Amino acid sequence: MSAAAPVANKKARSFTAPSVIPGFRATFGFTIFYLSLVVLFPLSLLIFRASSLGLSGLYGIAVEPRVAAALRTSFFISFAAAAIDVVFGLITAWVLTRYEFPGRRFLDAIVDLPFALPTAVAGIALAALYAPNGWLGEPLADYDIKIAYTRWGILVALVFVGLPFVVRTVQPLLAEIDAELEEASATLGASRAQTVWRVLLPPILPALLTGFALAFARSVGEYGSVIFIAGNLAYISEIAPLLIIVKLEQFDYAGATGIATIMLAISFSVLLAINLIQAWSQKRFGHV
Amino acid sequence: MRSVSISRRRFGAVVALAASLSTFVDATAQAASSLLNVSYDPTRELYKAINPAFAADWKAKTGETIELQASHAGSGAQARAVIDGLAADVVTLALAADIDAIVNKSGKIAPDWQKKLPNNASPYTSTIVFLVRKGNPKKIKNWDDLAKPGVAVVTPNPKTSGGARWNYLGAWGYALKKFGGDEAKTKEFVKAIYKNAPVLDTGARGSTITFAQRGLGDVLIAWENEAFLAFEEFGKDKFEIIVPTTSILAEPPVAVVDGNVDAKGTRKAAEAYVNFLYTPAAQAIIAKNYYRPAHPEFAAKDDLKRLPKLELFTVDQVFGGWTKAQKTHFADGGVFDDIQKQ
Amino acid sequence: MSEAIPSAALAPVIAVAAPRSVTEETPLTRNVLIGVAVAFLGLFLLLPLAVVFTEAMAKGAGAFFATFEEPDARAAIRLTLIVAAIVVPLNALFGVCAAWAISKFSFPGKSVLITLIDLPFSVSPVVSGLVYVLVFGSQGLLGPTFAAYGIQVVFAIPGIVLATIFVTFPFVARELIPLMQEQGTVEEEAALTLGASGFRTFLTVTLPNIKWGLLYGVLLANARAMGEFGAVSVVSGHIRGLTNTIPLQVEILYNEYNIVSAFALASLLAGLALVTLGFKTLLEWRYAGQIAGRRRH
């Protein structure tokens, strides 16, 4: 190790921009090692299993009407759910960090609920709420609104699942922003709305995008909470992860890993695009 | 740079600690003399009653104490787990096709497993019946009523649930007979039933809860034993059991997992366990849990009286065996996929 | 400090005593925002939570507490705690390392690295379990080798730990990266210039700055580690009393129509949120002076 160190050292130096801060090799090395071991190695095996289908085989799966319908359902509803989470998550994070009101701490605590509650329990609880005989389902049924066992049910479940991602990525930033900046902005004659829009929003934009990306990514793969409330009808309310189970049920590992790979590729592209936008906005707005 | 080497050593220590901890925990998880019965969902209550009886019997015969472990999940998922290395000594699954899959994909069970035990290796059978709401407001009497417009039918998804496949085949067998073997008409009939399904839960118990607790649907297609259980659990004043004129004979099979018992040295106990299922004691428990015992003579008269008489057909008679039924109806691009197309 | 309101459903009316400062919203905006947040959280979080506790208490406190006397339930709780105790520290360590490397240095391919760290979120829980079966299952790549040494990975505790590591992998890193990027490197550079060692700089400069993010990350990872269902379900083997975690035990109870016990056990996980509450209150109280200082400077 010690013999190789100078070489590695030189490489690391040329790989990163010069910096006085130490610890790049150790932290970067461990990051890559752990990432490879826990995530990349198993996932590459997944892709390897799917590769027995060949590219044309994968394409064949993706355009098969039932799979295509499920992928559309999963990705569109996840996108909508993440968008809803961003709007309400930002308001929630803002209110929780900035205002003092009775019950604030309690609300702050239960934001994590969607993580702690097993997804199946969440699904069951939501189905119980929105079913035709549920607390919300019954009054809604009077207006002929059906949530449970429709696509709306999927949306409700996914909004639930993704919410903490947005709140919890935005919250620390809102708490850390210097009051000085706001004061400066106000002193220079900006209205409160201008200050919020021009001074406060830009630095939290990257976190907001991250929150969106994570909520979206998580929603796409979500299974447990959705199947209890979705109805699972082919072409209507069937989600892509359910089709993976269906393939597995036929011992069709290639098909299952195939759908998984297609989902992975789409999610990876969306996440990468968002992270690139974020890196760009970071450069543009710079550090605070 | 000193800090780097310290922190790196720490990472190593933590990783090593975690690794050793997990192997230690794993080692203690393997008890000395135990049997693992990997089963499907609706048999929880049954094996909860049978296991202590077997343990007592085994203790009386050999003097050994045996611990029985139970694992329950969907039949197909359980077969997959055994193929992928779940150390089952005995499998008791919903369909012969699932045990055949273990034979074909892993070789852990000898191909002639179904000949090794009486009654096609099924210590009990069951059938498919209907559960309706009290007073039977939609006047459901037979399979025909499920295909009528305006009737909401609750049944699980045949693509993910073993029990759901029995439901489907029950409907198909009935219609095939009704239409004198006309496959096209039969398909239309079954399609009409699935058009009436507002939800396809992934498992049989999910469907029961959707019907009984969420108040969805007019009729639940269910295993006979499940219908009785739901009847007891959710209130006899709320539901009625309806028995169709003709239904399918469900034969859930059992087998010893040869590869695992030979590796673990548990063959004797495992074989004793599956044979125990055919003994008078076990057969009485089976009937008590609303299954149809292979040896009705060992069951209590009152338990048998609860099980209605109806005309039953088998998968072999109508569909030429499970492997064929699976391929024709439930594989991708099979008849069920076709039925679901809009 | 303000009047108590009778119910969360009512729009809270806050008495504003002090004149409005330039860095505050009008009382109207404020109340509308609070109202929207409370209504949204009420609909999407409080109501499901209420369902869980209502169902858990449906047959009274006796039935509720009887759940935790069951040996299988206790085994599930124990297993869940063991798994979280292994998984959370490992992922926290990883999160700090990854955030340090990513936020304090610039190197090519950073966005790709961040995306790879995010990846486990986008993988369906079903698949996160499946990948370990593909590696360690007896038909898998390494399964036969491990089996030859008598090591059972999937359908035993190591498999559950691995699947849990996978699903909670990004939490701490994801919480810290935007935070540390926002903070930049100025303070660390100052400390280093003044002669502090790298590790000391981290402890005395960086750590106090990121402690909230780190805490959030750890709490979230812990919550998710204890609550994960799908991935663990695939690798667990569902052996009663041995390889069932709390979520799996909940499913078993539910499938046995033992709905009270199922929700009682689930309420234990919902109660984690209250532990979070306690933790944060404690820390806020402990660091109250510092926080006020930061906001003012």
Side-chain angles (χ1 to χ4, degrees):
Chain A
M1 194 76 223
S2 59
V7 183
N9 196 20
K10 206 175 147 205
K11 232 173 131 190
R13 279 287 142 78
S14 59
F15 179 55
T16 69
S19 165
V20 293
I21 294 179
F24 180 73
R25 277 196 308 146
T27 55
F28 187 76
F30 179 68
T31 301
I32 297 295
F33 167 74
Y34 192 69
L35 178 74
S36 308
L37 191 72
V38 179
V39 177
L40 299 184
F41 170 59
L43 282 184
S44 62
L45 216 60
L46 177 86
I47 295 167
F48 175 74
R49 270 306 264 272
S51 68
S52 67
L53 295 164
L55 269 183
S56 59
L58 274 180
Y59 181 75
I61 289 182
V63 296
E64 195 199 304
R66 188 165 175 189
V67 177
L71 286 172
R72 253 198 315 275
T73 305
S74 279
F75 280 94
F76 278 131
I77 299 183
S78 298
F79 195 88
I84 293 173
D85 281 333
V86 162
V87 174
F88 289 97
L90 176 60
I91 295 175
T92 304
W94 179 274
V95 165
L96 291 179
T97 39
R98 298 245 151 179
Y99 303 150
E100 195 57 57
F101 59 95
R104 180 187 68 88
R105 279 165 193 277
F106 177 69
L107 286 184
D108 193 5
I110 65 160
V111 167
D112 296 341
L113 189 71
F115 287 148
L117 212 56
T119 50
V121 176
I124 293 164
L126 289 171
L129 268 180
Y130 290 96
N133 63 356
W135 292 348
L136 294 174
E138 206 164 3
L140 285 174
D142 292 343
Y143 298 96
D144 238 7
I145 301 173
K146 274 199 219 159
I147 305 276
Y149 314 116
T150 68
R151 288 176 167 198
W152 294 107
I154 304 179
L155 183 70
V156 167
L158 294 184
V159 167
F160 175 84
V161 160
L163 181 67
F165 284 106
V166 178
V167 179
R168 293 306 192 218
T169 20
V170 174
Q171 225 176 349
L173 278 177
L174 278 178
E176 292 291 334
I177 288 177
D178 254 319
E180 238 170 42
L181 279 172
E182 295 170 55
E183 282 158 16
S185 163
T187 319
L188 293 172
S191 73
R192 184 60 189 156
Q194 278 172 324
T195 303
V196 170
W197 193 250
R198 296 269 177 87
V199 179
L200 290 179
L201 209 54
I204 59 169
L205 200 63
L208 214 48
L209 268 173
T210 303
F212 175 84
L214 298 184
F216 171 76
R218 170 94 162 82
S219 299
V220 167
E222 179 53 20
Y223 177 74
S225 61
V226 176
I227 51 158
F228 284 97
I229 194 173
N232 310 319
L233 297 179
Y235 304 99
I236 301 167
S237 51
E238 194 169 58
I239 52 167
L242 178 60
L243 283 186
I244 297 179
I245 298 274
V246 166
K247 296 271 182 202
L248 283 177
E249 203 68 19
Q250 298 163 40
F251 306 100
D252 178 6
Y253 279 76
T257 51
I259 299 179
T261 305
I262 293 165
M263 289 176 67
L264 201 62
I266 303 177
S267 297
F268 182 81
S269 316
V270 172
L271 283 175
L272 185 62
I274 290 175
N275 285 332
L276 285 172
I277 295 172
Q278 211 211 72
W280 171 82
S281 78
Q282 183 116 33
K283 243 180 229 143
R284 183 150 182 270
F285 296 113
H287 299 309
V288 179
Chain B
M1 276 297 114
R2 197 173 147 266
S3 64
V4 172
S5 63
I6 288 175
S7 47
R8 191 185 284 152
R9 219 178 292 140
R10 268 193 203 166
F11 303 156
V14 172
V15 172
L17 181 75
S20 61
L21 194 68
S22 55
T23 45
F24 163 72
V25 173
D26 180 44
T28 56
Q30 314 270 340
S33 127
S34 64
L35 274 188
L36 174 59
N37 175 4
V38 170
S39 194
Y40 59 115
D41 262 323
T43 57
R44 296 157 196 278
E45 292 77 14
L46 175 67
Y47 285 109
K48 229 181 206 173
I50 285 186
N51 287 346
F54 172 73
D57 185 65
W58 182 254
K59 175 121 193 158
K61 283 195 177 127
T62 64
E64 290 169 27
T65 306
I66 193 157
E67 190 202 337
L68 288 148
Q69 297 166 348
S71 165
H72 296 273
S75 188
Q78 293 290 65
R80 239 167 29 242
V82 173
I83 291 168
D84 285 323
L86 179 58
D89 298 284
V90 173
V91 285
T92 55
L93 297 179
L95 324 167
D98 287 330
I99 297 186
D100 282 335
I102 302 176
V103 173
N104 296 329
K105 311 261 169 196
S106 75
K108 283 178 187 164
I109 296 177
D112 62 340
W113 63 272
Q114 213 156 10
K115 303 272 175 298
K116 285 185 178 166
L117 291 163
N119 299 50
N120 278 334
S122 299
Y124 59 86
T125 60
S126 189
T127 186
I128 301 299
V129 299
F130 311 141
L131 196 67
V132 299
R133 305 201 182 277
K134 190 78 187 171
N136 197 2
K138 296 271 167 135
K139 305 271 174 292
I140 287 154
K141 290 275 166 263
N142 212 341
W143 293 97
D144 304 86
D145 301 308
L146 306 190
K148 285 181 184 157
V151 174
V153 179
V154 177
T155 174
N157 192 340
K159 296 286 248 183
T160 55
S161 154
R165 276 170 231 166
W166 288 111
N167 297 355
Y168 171 97
L169 294 178
W172 188 277
Y174 170 83
L176 199 63
K177 195 176 163 222
K178 175 183 155 125
F179 297 118
D182 186 332
E183 295 251 346
K185 278 187 181 162
T186 304
K187 193 168 157 184
E188 279 311 306
F189 181 87
V190 176
K191 183 173 183 166
I193 292 182
Y194 280 90
K195 266 246 142 60
N196 281 341
V199 187
L200 291 174
D201 281 295
T202 51
R205 294 239 153 147
S207 281
T208 309
I209 286 173
T210 299
F211 178 78
Q213 284 233 302
R214 307 276 165 266
L216 211 73
D218 303 307
V219 54
L220 171 77
I221 315 180
W223 296 88
E224 184 178 46
N225 57 296
E226 285 287 287
F228 274 108
L229 201 64
F231 192 56
E232 287 207 334
E233 291 282 340
F234 296 108
K236 294 182 179 177
D237 49 333
K238 288 189 196 143
F239 304 107
E240 277 177 37
I241 293 176
I242 302 291
V243 182
T245 53
T246 309
S247 194
I248 194 162
L249 180 72
E251 299 168 289
V254 304
V256 168
V257 187
D258 301 293
N260 291 346
V261 294
D262 288 343
K264 288 159 76 178
T266 48
R267 177 175 284 282
K268 235 181 87 197
E271 281 176 352
Y273 184 79
V274 291
N275 281 309
F276 178 77
L277 299 174
Y278 293 88
T279 60
Q283 291 285 310
I285 296 174
I286 282 169
K288 198 171 245 42
N289 282 278
Y290 306 105
Y291 292 92
R292 295 172 178 244
H295 298 291
E297 65 272 22
F298 298 141
K301 289 266 174 325
D302 287 344
D303 290 342
L304 287 181
K305 250 194 281 175
R306 303 178 301 190
L307 306 171
K309 289 202 171 43
L310 69 164
E311 194 191 331
L312 294 169
F313 57 86
T314 68
V315 175
D316 287 348
Q317 285 163 5
V318 179
F319 301 95
W322 257 109
T323 312
K324 205 170 156 225
Q326 176 75 28
K327 209 167 166 186
T328 319
H329 291 276
F330 308 119
D332 277 358
V335 179
F336 182 70
D337 275 359
D338 215 29
I339 278 175
Q340 282 196 302
K341 279 203 186 117
Q342 285 175 314
Chain C
M1 71 181 36
S2 44
E3 312 119 27
I5 46 163
S7 143
L10 293 174
V13 182
I14 311 295
V16 182
R20 185 163 78 94
S21 117
V22 284
T23 55
E24 277 170 8
E25 285 73 43
T26 61
L28 178 71
T29 320
R30 203 181 159 107
N31 286 345
V32 167
L33 286 177
I34 292 176
V36 169
V38 169
F40 182 77
L41 293 183
L43 187 64
F44 280 92
L45 298 181
L46 277 179
L47 274 177
L49 188 66
V51 168
V52 171
F53 280 99
T54 313
E55 296 274 6
M57 296 305 256
K59 287 184 186 161
F64 178 86
F65 288 111
T67 304
F68 306 103
E69 301 291 320
E70 282 286 314
D72 283 356
R74 289 191 165 197
I77 294 169
R78 204 176 312 124
L79 177 59
T80 300
L81 291 175
I82 291 174
V83 170
I86 298 171
V87 167
V88 176
L90 273 176
N91 280 348
L93 180 68
F94 162 77
V96 172
C97 285
W100 182 270
I102 287 169
S103 63
K104 304 291 178 197
F105 304 91
S106 72
F107 53 89
K110 198 188 265 188
S111 292
V112 175
L113 181 61
I114 296 178
T115 309
L116 288 175
I117 292 174
D118 288 345
L119 210 51
F121 279 147
S122 70
V123 175
S124 183
V126 182
V127 176
S128 356
L130 181 67
V131 290
Y132 288 106
V133 173
L134 292 179
V135 179
F136 296 107
S138 47
Q139 315 276 316
L141 188 66
L142 302 177
T145 318
F146 275 74
Y149 291 99
I151 303 171
Q152 173 106 21
V153 178
V154 283
F155 311 118
I157 293 163
I160 298 174
V161 169
L162 282 172
T164 311
I165 286 184
F166 189 97
V167 292
T168 58
F169 181 82
F171 276 102
V172 178
R174 234 20 193 120
E175 207 57 55
L176 291 182
I177 290 168
L179 184 63
M180 283 166 72
Q181 279 181 335
E182 213 257 354
Q183 286 168 348
T185 54
V186 185
E187 290 184 38
E188 281 84 3
E189 277 162 5
L192 289 162
T193 317
L194 293 174
S197 74
F199 198 60
R200 204 181 144 74
T201 305
F202 172 75
L203 280 184
T204 53
V205 178
T206 314
L207 200 57
N209 277 337
I210 62 167
K211 63 174 182 295
W212 291 110
L214 185 61
L215 179 72
Y216 278 132
V218 165
L219 290 173
L220 293 184
N222 183 57
R224 186 97 164 82
M226 290 187 167
E228 175 52 24
F229 170 74
V232 171
S233 169
V234 177
V235 294
S236 129
H238 302 273
I239 307 169
R240 272 171 171 268
L242 279 184
T243 61
N244 281 326
T245 57
I246 295 177
L248 297 180
Q249 186 64 23
V250 168
E251 191 211 14
I252 284 181
L253 291 166
Y254 188 72
N255 274 337
E256 287 176 353
Y257 305 129
N258 191 348
I259 289 161
V260 166
S261 289
F263 279 103
L265 208 51
S267 70
L268 199 64
L269 290 169
L272 265 185
L274 299 178
V275 176
T276 309
L277 176 77
F279 243 114
K280 277 171 62 185
T281 313
L282 191 74
L283 282 168
E284 274 174 29
W285 172 74
R286 166 86 176 69
Y287 293 107
Q290 278 184 39
I291 292 167
R294 281 193 70 77
R295 284 282 300 161
R296 250 184 285 106
H297 75 226

